[in-house]
Amino acid sequence: RSVYDDQPNAHQRFMEKLDACIRNHDREIEKMCNFHHQGFVDAITELLKVRADAEKLKVQVTDTNRRLQDAGKEVIAQTEEIIRCRVQQRNITTVVEKLQLCLPVLEMYSKLKEQMNVKRYYSALKTMEQLENQYLPRVSQYRFCQIMIENLPKLREEIKEISMSDLKDFLESIRKHSDRIGETAMKQAQQQKTFSTALQKQNNVNYGRNVHLSRNRILESKNEITLKRTFEEDDEHEEEVLTAQDLVDFSPVYRCLHIYSVLGDGEIFENYYRKQRRKQARLVLQPQSSMHETVEGYRRYFSQIVGFFVVEDHILHVTQGLVTRTYTDELWNMALSKIIAVLRTHSSYCSDPDLVLELKNLIVVFADTLQGYGFPVNRLFDLLFEIRDQYNETLLKKWSGLFRDIFEADNYSPIPVANEEEYKIVISKFPFQDPELDKQSFPKKLPMSQSVPQIYIQVKEFIYASLKFSESLHRSSTEIDDMLRKSTNLLLTRTLSSCLQNLIKKPHIGLTELVQIIINTTHLEQACKYLEDFISNITNISQVTVHTARLYGLSTFKDARHAAEGEIYTKLNQKIDEFIQIADYDWTMSESDGRASGYLMDLINFLRSTFQVFTHLPGKVAQTACMSACQHLSMSLMQMLLDSELRQISMGAIQQFNLDVIQCELFASSEPVPGFQGDTLQLAFIDLRQLLDLFMVWDWSTYLADYGQATSKYLRVNPSTALTLLEKMKDSSKKNNIFAQFRKNDRDKQKLIETVVKQLRSLVNGMSQHT
């Protein structure tokens, strides 16, 4: 430490002390060596002695070893032979043991290969499972075992691919044959329903007794034939009933399901199967664009859907977990929504009622078939009510054409019957009762025309056609009765009413035809109660039921009758206007002809003959028509006098016009239509009469003095009317009397006219200011 402390001369002192220490150790070593030297010398001497003996011993040992080796060579050879034999024996034993251990593995593997060759894949998977769990672990150290272990996953994948390929072939097959499966299922459901219905009808003795007799016999005979055919077909084809399982081999599904379940991929298989079936469902639910044109299009569409769900129902019941009730319900709800949308769209294009009816029957069979497999179909029956409305619309269009044809073919004349047989034929078609007519002898005429019984028959046929749709809808008789009455009401209030309105408006329908139409509607109105009885007999629902609807035929035929009456009034007025248009007055004539105008006499003769035809009409109609004609004639004559284009009227023209009005009054007083009280009809010409009397008598002082009083002789003469006519006469007097200023009477008359004109103008001005 002092060396490192760097004291002065420290290093030199350290080296000196180190040398002194070395010298001390050397002296001690020397002392020790001197002490043991003698013993070392003695040991060396002993070793030199032993050296000679050791060489002798070595020679002896070498010789002894050589002789021993020579003597043991044979023993060694025998011993090695024994060892080799024992090793072989041990190896053989080991090989036998290992072979006995490997043989079951090889046998199982051979069995696996054989199962693969014969396509027993499910058994092959079981064999693989035994190989992996029991046999291969015992011999896993061998290379062939490793090869087997490496091959097993490949075999599993091969089995999965093969089974999946079989499943795809199966899916493709059922996609192609689903329509056949569905057709078979629907046919079986229809046969079963027909059999049950026929059996029920046979057991019900009173079935259809209230329906029309002739119709009932036809229906009963048809039911007997149908029932007989049903039993014969059931006996003949009893052993030929096929099910979905008979038509389709489901083994690929079972195999694939088992294989994937064994492989632990059951969920993958289920998802794949359901996904593929959903795709197929969408394809099945996709309709063809022209499906609505034929029944076969709808039939094939329904058959495919039924076949699809029949297969799914079978899969549901024979497999566990591949499809579930929840899955099928979800798939069905999706399909049902699509089906309803498709049917709504395509059925809207159907204009043929027969096609709509066949579509309804297909939907019923379709719904009954799927209901038999446990699928809810209430929405389909709700859809049928929508289609029923469309069916009624197509029926209404069809019957509209039938009604138009009947009206076009009608001669609008009473039906002649020559004998009792013809009378019974008409009565069998239309419920006509008239005790007064029954008392008459043949030949005679029924008041209605040929279209009445034909319309009545067509209404009954419409009820039958409407009833066809209501069958098999699982509805009560009350509901069916209500449906029939509502559809019949639509036929009467819309279709028949529209046809009648259009018929009445047609230009070729004259007054005679209109009169016959009014008579026809009266008899059709009376027949409505028989139609109600007819519906009640069909549905077996009494009319006294609270919820029973009534037919609106009364209002329909009343409206048509009123329209015909209005058209009669219009045509009468048009005819009067035609006669008025050919009137040719000489408004400047100095004197009248002394007789009524020819056009007016022709008009009166026309009115007389026309009103004679009205004898079959109800009294009020004929009276109203007559009053309307007289009022229109009076108004037309008044307008003729007051026409603005007529500038001048002579007194002779007034006298001629007065003769024509007198003929009109004579016609009114002759009572062309019975039932008028007093001079009611003559009052139609009262305005003209008072106006003409005023001008014929020239009693202006009385008119002006009594104007505005209730007792005035000329109460119906309007000052403006009188003023207009008087001004025309004034202009005529000025023009025709050139030398009037030289004759005192004419000058006085002219002054009188001017004075009266001024007073009338003051009256008219006073009336306008008051107004």
Side-chain angles (χ1 to χ4, degrees), residues 96-228:
V96 171
E97 293 176 355
K98 297 301 180 180
L99 286 175
Q100 290 177 348
L101 191 62
C102 292
L103 279 176
V105 177
L106 297 173
E107 289 176 356
M108 291 296 291
Y109 195 79
S110 176
K111 180 181 178 181
L112 173 62
K113 286 293 188 180
E114 183 179 357
Q115 290 171 343
M116 291 289 292
N117 292 332
V118 297
K119 299 182 179 181
R120 294 175 57 193
Y121 301 115
Y122 181 72
S123 300
L125 289 175
K126 290 295 184 182
T127 303
M128 289 185 194
E129 186 177 356
Q130 291 179 355
L131 277 172
E132 288 181 330
N133 297 332
Q134 297 180 14
Y135 296 98
L136 289 178
R138 302 173 187 174
V139 291
S140 59
Q141 67 274 19
Y142 300 110
R143 189 163 61 89
F144 77 89
C145 180
Q146 296 298 325
I147 296 174
M148 290 182 181
I149 293 174
E150 292 175 358
N151 285 336
L152 290 181
K154 297 179 181 178
L155 292 176
R156 281 196 178 92
E157 289 299 323
E158 182 181 352
I159 291 173
K160 287 176 65 175
E161 291 176 359
I162 294 173
S163 62
M164 185 58 69
S165 176
D166 293 342
L167 177 66
K168 291 178 180 178
D169 294 340
F170 166 78
L171 293 175
E172 181 67 20
S173 175
I174 61 173
R175 188 182 69 83
K176 293 180 179 178
H177 298 92
S178 59
D179 55 343
R180 184 185 172 195
I181 300 170
E183 184 178 357
T184 303
M186 291 172 66
K187 189 178 296 183
Q188 292 172 2
Q190 190 173 12
Q191 290 175 352
Q192 184 176 2
K193 182 178 179 180
T194 304
F195 175 77
S196 301
T197 304
L199 191 61
Q200 181 181 2
K201 289 182 179 180
Q202 187 188 39
N203 293 333
N204 187 4
V205 178
N206 294 323
Y207 176 78
R209 290 290 176 87
N210 293 326
V211 185
H212 196 272
L213 182 61
S214 61
R215 186 83 174 189
N216 186 32
R217 289 176 179 173
I218 295 174
L219 290 175
E220 287 181 354
S221 61
K222 286 184 177 179
N223 291 336
E224 292 176 0
I225 294 172
T226 303
L227 182 62
K228 182 177 180 181

Side-chain angles (χ1 to χ4, degrees), residues 708-752:
Q709 298 180 11
T711 58
S712 175
K713 181 180 178 181
Y714 305 102
L715 181 63
R716 306 297 296 253
V717 178
N718 192 297
S720 62
T721 303
L723 177 61
T724 302
L725 188 57
L726 190 59
E727 287 179 339
K728 293 181 180 182
M729 291 187 67
K730 183 182 68 171
D731 294 339
S732 176
S733 178
K734 288 181 179 180
K735 182 177 181 181
N736 295 331
N737 297 291
I738 304 174
F739 303 102
Q741 63 273 22
F742 302 107
R743 293 193 294 269
K744 185 176 183 301
N745 292 334
D746 293 336
R747 290 199 305 271
D748 293 340
K749 184 178 181 180
Q750 188 69 26
K751 290 179 181 180
L752 176 61

